[in-house]
Amino acid sequence: MRRNTLTTVGAVTGSLALAAGLTACGGSSAASDEKAVTVYSADGLKGENGDGWYDKVFKDFTAKTGIKVKYVEGGSGEVVQRAVREKTNTQADVLVTLPPFIQQAGGKGLLAKYSPEGSDQVDGADKGADGTWTSVVNNYFGFVYNKKELKTPPATWEELLDGKFKNKLQYSTPGVAGDGTAVVVKAMHDFGGKQQAMDYLKKLQANNVGPSASTGKLAPKVDKGELLVANGDVQMNYAQSKDMPNLGIWFPKAGSGKPTSFALPYAAGLVKNAPHTANGKKLLDFMLAAKQQQEVSAIGGGFSARADVKATDENAIALAKIMDGVEIFEPDWNDIDKNLTAYVDDWKSATGS
């Protein structure tokens, strides 16, 4: 999921959602608890039923170290915004979010330099050149469709302009949700430029239900048939499909081109002036360790961030099949980070949002 609403969870127990955020607790309480580490993260890796990759990793980390994980979940941009607001009274130790928001966090001076153990096995494109962040779970942008209502997914972007998709199509809001921002990134690539992408998205707006701060909430609507098509990402949607039998994953192409996607990794960084820096480093090391990376596909339905970890479990085989034939491109994240506000403003202007 890619929600904009922050939720604070005691990750070790996994069942208690606190109405008040960690900020309300004050920095002194957190600082005095040496056996704690606080994670601010984009959603998608913690299971709805306590069975996600985070659930397993945090439980095993606490069992090994005695350090309790305090978990705060929100939209990709919102977790960064919260960390910015708390810059004079830092609460988070580890920040996990998606591009371009991890670059945004670095640009705002939120991240400290730290290369976790095993980060030498992470591809250069999946970690910060300045050493402030490293991908811990790889993922790819995609779309979902209702397999019951549509025998085959739409092959092209152009097909989505058909009247049968009116009020049956929705994508999460660019600039708020990471996967929503990804819609603009992919459209700009597939159509060959910003203006061409905005021209298309303007036409698509006739079929769009409207804004959504949460990408994760769209998949259940697709599964039930309330929507025929929505955006998402492979890791989250594959995990959701276990309980949503009508959910299929697909990748649109422009015209006669190939289906395309791009890496949308969960990138983790150590927060500068964190209250528990040592514990934050230990958790980053643990998340990137070979055993935990081997569990990324088996438990989380995602892709290992380490090149030397070759998963062969049932999920890994299924995920490889989903990605077969999809052309992967690499966005210019520095450009997107620099111009994100302008791109979002252009999208708002084009769509009247």
Side-chain angles (χ1 to χ4, degrees), residues 4 24 39-40 43 48 68 72 85 109 120 148 154 158 163 183-185 195 230 296 299 301 331 340 344:
N4 190 40
V39 178
Y40 282 13
D43 50 349
E48 296 288 342
K68 181 179 179 180
V72 177
R85 292 195 299 269
D120 59 315
K148 183 179 180 181
E158 289 83 358
V183 171
V184 174
V185 173
Q195 191 56 54
V296 165
I299 296 174
L340 180 60
V344 172

Side-chain angles (χ1 to χ4, degrees), residues 27 31 83 86-94 108-113 270-278:
E86 297 172 350
K87 203 170 180 180
T88 58
N89 183 27
T90 307
Q91 302 294 315
D93 301 299
V94 172
K108 292 181 180 296
L110 294 177
L111 304 177
K113 289 187 178 182
L270 184 70
V271 178
K272 188 178 288 186
N273 300 321
H276 310 106
T277 295

Side-chain angles (χ1 to χ4, degrees), residues 296-325:
V296 165
S297 57
I299 296 174
F303 304 80
S304 172
R306 291 180 55 148
D308 61 338
V309 172
K310 305 297 182 183
T312 57
D313 58 89
E314 182 180 339
N315 285 349
I317 294 170
L319 288 164
K321 186 176 181 180
I322 289 172
M323 300 305 300
D324 186 38

